[in-house]
Amino acid sequence: MTALTVRRRRFACCAVLVLGAALGACTPPPARKEAAPARALVWPAPPETARFTYETQLRSAADIERPPTPEEALRKRLTGETAAEPRAAFEKISAVAARFGRVYVTDTVMRRVIVFDVPRRRLFHFGLRAPGRLEKPMAVAVDANRNVYVADAGRRLVVVYDDFGLYLRTVGETSGLIRPTGVAVSDDGERIYVVDRAHNESDQHRVLVFDKNGRQLRELGRRGSGPGEFNVPVQAAVAPDGKLYVLDSGNFRVQVFDAEGKHLRSFGSSGDTAGSFARPRGIAVDRANRVYVSDGFFGNFQVFDPRGELLLAIGRQSAEDEPGRYGLIAGLSVDETGRVYVADQLFNKIEVIRPAAAGRAARERQ
């Protein structure tokens, strides 16, 4: 075997999913090879310098299971054993949150949180048993202590679990939440923000702020279009610098608040051009305070700097289930490695888009 062949095999090994720093080293390809595009899919397109590239997708446990050993593969060939079609993990995805190698996905039909535990190569779920039973989990967030926060529109509160899905406590059960559709948490877990969009005819379109013990601290906003007011807010995210970004979908904008609830600025407008919003659905903020907003009409997500200047748009609307193409884009999340996790309700998938720099760094380690 030539040195060139060895290098090529090493490159092929490390081009597949390495979700989170917990995996560290080169990871063998998952069982589902058909998900990978025929050639590298990058944004922006050549000849511009690539900033992001498609990495993989998550649909079932097969996407993170280890590949068969040579002995297992030989046994299957000799016995004629065929693998069963992987069972889809979702019925209706609502939101996604990713951290420390685990990807948490809420499903409003299955009434649970599905977890892709990449370091341990296993899939599990939680939210089916009291007292942590879920009725309509709409959003999910994870803090630096690995606590998981789920906004449940059915129970009208937020349920908090540890990273393995063991129930810890609830938040907001006495605050008169009407329809909590979003939840965000500061990195240290000291501030919990609940987006309560209420009903279309209600004036209680707001964000409630709680401390880590569930005590309500303040209420932000009311129905309206002025600074600090909301019209159908749907999701929120907390930046590393403590600022709160609220996706105010009915006003086609993102509103920014400081840690004390003071309105700082807004950006965005209604339109069908780059930098505007048509049907904004999810929001996330990365470690560099860049803001990511998914849009169900465009079928993409746009990346903005902290001031709201458009940097890049990724993906496109499509009736074909292919990498980088979305039928009904929903929530999204960015983990500590800079990977973006994009939920698609129509195609029942979570796509993983990684920074191009992460791929270059992995190749340089070989």
Side-chain angles (χ1 to χ4, degrees), residues 17-36:
L17 175 63
V18 184
L19 292 180
L23 294 181
C26 178
T27 304
R32 293 173 58 94
K33 295 181 180 179
E34 70 276 14

Side-chain angles (χ1 to χ4, degrees), residues 148-208:
V148 183
Y149 302 75
V150 181
D152 190 329
R155 295 182 62 185
R156 300 184 180 184
L157 46 74
V158 171
V159 189
V160 187
Y161 308 85
D162 70 10
D163 56 335
F164 288 105
L166 297 178
Y167 169 82
L168 297 177
R169 63 187 183 277
T170 57
V171 173
E173 60 267 45
T174 62
S175 297
L177 290 168
I178 299 174
R179 191 182 180 191
T181 60
V183 62
V185 61
S186 61
D187 209 43
D188 57 11
E190 293 291 331
R191 291 290 181 272
I192 304 165
Y193 302 89
V194 183
V195 179
D196 187 15
R197 63 161 287 182
H199 304 293
N200 290 336
E201 63 275 10
S202 171
D203 288 330
Q204 288 186 297
H205 290 209
R206 57 188 179 162
V207 176
L208 299 185

Side-chain angles (χ1 to χ4, degrees), residues 42-51 311-312:
V42 299
W43 297 271
E48 296 188 56
T49 301
R51 302 299 181 187
L311 301 175
L312 185 64

Side-chain angles (χ1 to χ4, degrees), residues 8 10 27 36 42 47 54 59 128 151 159 183 190 193 200 247 288 290 325 333 344:
R8 284 176 173 171
R10 287 177 178 172
T27 304
V42 299
Y54 171 87
R59 296 178 189 266
L128 297 178
V159 189
V183 62
E190 293 291 331
Y193 302 89
N200 290 336
L247 185 55
R290 289 181 291 256
R325 298 187 178 186
S333 176
D344 189 315

